[in-house]
Amino acid sequence: MRPNAFAPVLALILVVSLLAPLPASADDDLDIMVGQMLMAGFRGFAVTPDSPIVRDIRERHLGGVILFDYDVAMNSPDRNIDSPAQVARLTADLAGYAAIPLLVAVDQEGGRVQRLKPGRGFAGSPSARELGTLDDAAIEAAGAEVGRTLRRAGFNLDFAPVADVDVDPDSPAIGRLGRSFSANPARVGQCAGLFLAGLASQGVTGCLKHFPGHGSAGTDSHLGVTDVTATWSRDELIPYRILINRGAARMIMTAHIFNARLDQDHPATLSRPVITGLLRQELGFDGVVVTDDLDMKAITDRYGRDAAIRLAIEAGADILLIGNNLTYDPDAVRLAHGRITAMVRDGIIAEARIRESFERILRLKQNLPE
């Protein structure tokens, strides 16, 4: 290993008791950092040492996993979630294979978007739209109840709350599903902050989404390019500005929306003007930026996986989310990891850029519950 190659992060690793021996070569140094920048979905209610996702955790240092209750590619309800006891075993097994603490994530917003459903034995929760009509104590209590459900099941990361403003109540991905707290941006920021606090009270990190605002979109980015150039306004940044200024936002997910007023070439997930310029420099966010699922058609219809990976990293994203659900490939992590390391070795992406994201990810993981 190069002298002091881990100097910027070694103290953090020690603080969180990451005492497993680290590989002793520059290549392995890079392998670890790249692996931590990836989060992936997988198939199965249980894992073994030979499972592809376990190999990714052990051999490629995969930084996070995401669980789903439905396998979209197979059109099947058999994916990762069957019962509370089964999920708790699965998440514990996955975490046990990781040398660096594993992010174990799920989309548990409430209402129409909750992977842990009452029909499978989990506690249900109201939609954001319903919560937005309640008092502050009730909203924070709802976040805490979601947090308790997640912690019991072994999750430490919730891709919630939605910080999108309910600009268009008929927006297919947000308004129509009741996923926004309010049409008032300040109220969205207030409610999202209360929900985050509730999650945090149970040891669960929340993730605001979908930056820089999906509430005015007339189409669904799961299905193709979503253009909000004519409908988006800077008022949709208000919830993020509020929570970043309070220090409440630790992770933010990008949207696959296109806005020519922000970037004439790329959607937000792949846009340096949006992630580095708007989110980091203008709003002052230095937490972890995670992409929305790179398998969504807004990305796959226009960009190949190589281009999407390169552009997302160049834009400033720290974690690349590969849901591996809309389409499925057991080698998805291996291929993505190989592409990123090759780009670094070929000089396409600077190693310093990879280390920057690695340090942010470890800062986040430093505060994960044991």
Side-chain angles (χ1 to χ4, degrees):
M1 182 183 293
R2 296 185 310 279
N4 299 319
F6 274 87
V9 295
L10 183 57
L12 291 172
I13 294 174
L14 293 174
V15 164
V16 295
S17 300
L18 304 180
L19 300 179
L22 293 172
S25 76
D27 285 346
D28 287 332
D29 179 357
L30 179 61
D31 284 346
I32 291 171
M33 293 192 293
V34 169
Q36 289 297 298
M37 291 181 67
L38 296 172
M39 175 179 287
F42 61 99
R43 281 179 174 159
F45 293 126
V47 292
T48 70
D50 294 327
S51 298
I53 194 69
V54 170
R55 291 201 302 269
D56 291 330
I57 293 170
R58 296 175 69 178
E59 299 173 13
R60 298 177 186 94
H61 317 286
L62 181 68
V65 295
I66 181 170
L67 275 63
F68 294 100
D69 63 330
Y70 194 87
D71 193 304
V72 177
M74 293 185 67
N75 193 25
S76 167
D78 295 332
R79 177 73 179 192
N80 307 128
I81 297 167
D82 183 57
S83 71
Q86 169 268 321
V87 173
R89 285 193 300 271
L90 173 60
T91 56
D93 288 346
L94 290 165
Y97 287 112
I100 296 175
L102 188 70
L103 292 174
V104 184
V106 69
D107 292 285
Q108 192 74 1
E109 299 172 17
R112 297 281 294 276
V113 181
Q114 42 188 335
R115 311 303 185 200
L116 309 179
K117 291 181 168 60
R120 294 186 184 266
F122 298 93
S125 59
S127 69
R129 179 173 290 164
E130 294 173 272
L131 290 178
T133 66
L134 305 180
D135 62 31
D136 290 0
I139 298 169
E140 186 167 347
E145 181 59 30
V146 171
R148 276 190 290 275
T149 297
L150 296 184
R151 285 299 298 141
R152 288 170 184 156
F155 295 96
N156 53 30
L157 175 61
D158 188 7
F159 284 134
V162 166
D164 298 313
V165 181
D166 199 10
V167 177
D168 179 3
D170 197 42
S171 173
I174 305 298
R176 201 179 296 170
L177 300 181
R179 297 173 70 191
S180 172
F181 289 107
S182 175
N184 181 323
R187 178 63 176 164
V188 172
Q190 179 184 20
C191 294
L194 292 164
F195 196 90
L196 284 174
L199 290 174
S201 73
Q202 304 303 311
V204 174
T205 297
C207 175
L208 300 176
K209 60 186 186 185
H210 309 79
F211 188 85
H214 209 300
S216 71
T219 57
D220 186 343
S221 55
H222 286 83
L223 306 177
V225 174
T226 298
D227 191 333
V228 297
T229 303
T231 56
W232 181 87
S233 78
R234 290 184 65 87
D235 283 352
E236 296 180 58
L237 298 176
I238 290 174
Y240 296 97
R241 193 183 300 275
I242 289 171
L243 295 169
I244 291 169
N245 288 344
R246 289 182 187 168
R250 301 184 64 208
M251 177 182 280
I252 292 176
M253 176 181 283
T254 61
H256 297 333
I257 58 168
F258 177 79
N259 186 340
R261 288 182 290 163
L262 299 178
D263 188 327
Q264 296 186 357
D265 298 313
H266 303 302
T269 292
L270 309 182
S271 170
R272 184 170 176 82
V274 171
I275 298 178
T276 297
L278 182 57
L279 180 55
R280 296 216 186 276
Q281 296 175 353
E282 180 177 331
L283 298 186
F285 182 65
D286 193 37
V288 171
V289 173
V290 59
T291 71
D292 206 342
D293 188 353
L294 292 179
D295 287 336
M296 290 163 62
K297 288 189 176 181
I299 300 298
T300 60
D301 279 358
R302 179 176 175 187
Y303 303 90
R305 178 59 59 83
D306 284 8
I309 286 173
R310 175 180 60 80
L311 289 168
I313 294 173
E314 290 176 345
D318 300 305
I319 296 178
L320 310 184
L321 176 58
I322 302 171
N324 214 15
N325 193 4
L326 300 174
T327 60
Y328 178 74
D329 181 356
D331 289 325
V333 172
R334 180 181 65 81
L335 293 172
H337 191 286
R339 286 163 177 149
I340 298 170
T341 54
M343 289 178 194
V344 174
R345 290 169 183 152
D346 291 344
I348 297 170
I349 296 174
E351 184 173 333
R353 171 67 195 85
I354 301 299
R355 183 173 289 106
E356 180 182 81
S357 286
F358 180 57
E359 292 176 10
R360 288 196 188 102
I361 293 163
L362 285 189
R363 285 201 300 270
L364 179 76
K365 290 188 173 187
Q366 178 181 359
N367 295 313
L368 292 178
E370 295 183 1

